[in-house]
Amino acid sequence: MAKCVLVSGGAGFIGSHVTVELIEAGYDVVVADNMSNCDMTCFEGVQKIIGRKLPFEKVDFCDAVATDKLFSDYKIDAVIHFAAFKAVGESVEKPVRYYKNNLGSFLNVLEAASAHGCHNVLFSSSATVYGEPDKVPVTEETPRKPATSPYGATKQMCEDILNDVVKATAGTEGEIRGILLRYFNPIGAHPSALIGELPRGVPNNLVPFITQTAIGKRACLSIFGDDYPTPDGTCQRDYIDIVDLAQAHVYAVRRMLDGKMEKGCEVYNIGTGRPVSVLELVNAFEKVNGLKLNYKFAPRRAGDVTAIWADPSLANKVLGWTAKRSVEDTLASAWAWEKHIAGK
Ligand code: WQD
């Protein structure tokens, strides 16, 4: 019988792509989301891609009773936890909201998983835990830096919570094994253009801002800073294709479910290992899509790190996963998705 994976926050950007890859790998999936930051577009897109209906549960993971009920209604073998608020700037303005939601929901998931014999928990962490690194690329051993926002703090705290729970439950009936995936900068959309990123309001992230500018929803892209100590003066990041990133989850879940883990809690960087500057990304977008983007240089954005990219060799070696898609293909997929949602 196929193993069942619960995807919390499964109607969102990353969760919907992960759902597709899990189904294609032969897993059963239950999608649960409180729909607080998305609509049904991506969930419907997922069902179109896989050609069938999927179980969907409207659940707020901050509700402990509802979370527990979900684990009694389904026999869940592994849970991938995405359900969280994710806007860095908003987290600075509303820290209580962020701590309550991001920590509360994860604690409820851990408690229910442990109580119902679901031993495998994968947490969606972030490269943000490294802060401004002293050395790039960063490995999983690179020390974490103090968080620069409540959002980043919740990622660090959830990592610590999972580690503590793994230690405390080892050898017990409610044993939890954990995998932390630290994502670099996920971009792009599914090649079908049926699912992708749907930011509410003005996008904070670079690629949605680029595609919205190209389609005419925004007048001009501001490139934040041209005087960084990098080859072209703009910040460098590790932009990872969303489908590549989603596939990393399948490798990680398989490792857990096949009993291959060597430690109770394992950590992997999920990135390409390739630094790309803001300007290089803009140029690549223009070239691959054959258009000109209206952009200007603007002052640095507070809180931005100069350069960060992954050393993904641990995930390559241990999980057997590698990022495959070029940044050009990914930017073409992001543009196809923007045109799809604009009905063009
Ligand atoms: C990338 C680069 C900007 C917008 C954030 C979170 C992180 C993770 C992913 C999410 C930077 C520049 C951006 C614009 C620009 N979490 N930029 N003009 O900041 O690396 O990471 O998103 O849930 O935790 O911090 O990504 O896409 O915002 O920025 O010049 O309009 O693009 O300065 O150098 P970031 P980003």
Side-chain angles (χ1 to χ4, degrees), residues 2-203:
K3 298 276 188 189
C4 178
V5 183
L6 169 65
V7 181
S8 86
F13 173 45
I14 303 182
S16 57
H17 288 83
V18 168
T19 299
V20 169
E21 297 307 315
L22 287 169
I23 298 281
E24 286 178 357
Y27 292 103
D28 285 340
V29 177
V30 177
V31 173
D33 204 300
N34 70 354
M35 308 307 292
S36 70
N37 193 30
C38 59
D39 58 26
M40 290 305 267
T41 309
C42 284
F43 183 68
E44 282 159 10
V46 167
Q47 298 189 130
K48 269 194 206 137
I49 294 168
I50 64 167
R52 64 179 165 89
K53 297 266 175 227
L54 265 186
F56 175 84
E57 299 288 340
K58 189 164 187 288
V59 171
D60 185 343
F61 288 92
C62 287
D63 178 342
V65 174
T67 304
D68 187 81
K69 182 169 182 306
L70 192 59
F71 281 82
S72 6
D73 290 349
Y74 295 89
K75 167 80 192 78
I76 294 162
D77 298 294
V79 52
I80 306 184
H81 185 66
F82 292 110
F85 294 150
K86 61 173 185 179
V88 178
E90 187 190 42
S91 79
V92 176
E93 286 153 30
K94 299 174 183 163
V96 173
R97 190 163 179 261
Y98 270 69
Y99 287 116
K100 239 186 179 169
N101 186 64
N102 294 6
L103 303 181
S105 61
F106 191 45
L107 291 168
N108 286 338
V109 164
L110 286 167
E111 200 166 38
S114 179
H116 291 273
C118 164
H119 303 296
N120 304 292
V121 177
L122 191 156
F123 177 68
S124 56
S125 191
S126 167
T128 197
V129 301
Y130 297 116
E132 176 98 53
D134 297 328
K135 225 174 77 190
V136 275
V138 293
T139 73
E140 292 76 359
E141 303 304 319
T142 299
R144 297 185 326 186
K145 290 275 176 73
T148 52
S149 71
Y151 164 77
T154 67
K155 289 294 176 196
Q156 294 189 340
M157 288 175 189
C158 285
E159 287 198 348
D160 296 343
I161 290 168
L162 185 53
N163 266 295
D164 288 344
V165 169
V166 164
K167 269 187 221 137
T169 58
T172 69
E173 212 179 306
E175 178 165 283
I176 296 286
R177 293 177 286 271
I179 289 189
L180 304 169
L181 296 185
R182 291 181 179 154
Y183 312 143
F184 282 69
N185 288 57
I187 61 165
H190 193 265
S192 64
L194 290 168
I195 55 176
E197 205 167 355
L198 273 177
R200 290 207 167 150
V202 183

Side-chain angles (χ1 to χ4, degrees), residues 128 151 185 204-206 222-224 235 237 239 301 304:
T128 197
Y151 164 77
N185 288 57
N204 294 309
N205 296 116
L206 179 59
S222 291
I223 295 184
F224 300 136
C235 294
R237 296 287 183 274
Y239 295 96
R301 181 173 72 177
D304 274 341

Side-chain angles (χ1 to χ4, degrees), residues 203 205-224 277-297 331 334-335 338-339:
N205 296 116
L206 179 59
V207 169
F209 209 105
I210 290 176
T211 56
Q212 290 197 5
T213 306
I215 206 116
K217 271 194 210 165
R218 313 272 154 215
C220 182
L221 167 76
S222 291
I223 295 184
F224 300 136
S277 76
V278 178
L279 209 48
E280 284 170 335
L281 197 84
V282 168
N283 291 337
F285 179 84
E286 291 185 325
K287 192 161 173 222
V288 70
N289 296 313
L291 41 83
K292 277 274 156 233
L293 196 71
N294 194 20
Y295 69 84
K296 62 170 193 237
F297 290 101
L331 290 169
W335 180 228
E338 187 66 57
K339 285 190 289 186

Side-chain angles (χ1 to χ4, degrees), residues 240-308:
I240 165 126
D241 182 275
I242 185 66
V243 176
D244 276 334
L245 178 119
Q247 283 169 355
H249 296 72
V250 177
Y251 286 81
V253 161
R254 194 175 291 140
R255 181 171 171 81
M256 293 178 126
L257 292 174
D258 290 354
K260 296 274 169 59
M261 287 179 66
E262 281 158 22
K263 282 193 283 182
C265 193
E266 297 181 352
V267 188
Y268 299 98
N269 282 341
I270 303 300
T272 66
R274 199 174 48 213
V276 173
S277 76
V278 178
L279 209 48
E280 284 170 335
L281 197 84
V282 168
N283 291 337
F285 179 84
E286 291 185 325
K287 192 161 173 222
V288 70
N289 296 313
L291 41 83
K292 277 274 156 233
L293 196 71
N294 194 20
Y295 69 84
K296 62 170 193 237
F297 290 101
R300 291 181 178 197
R301 181 173 72 177
D304 274 341
V305 306
T306 302
I308 183 165

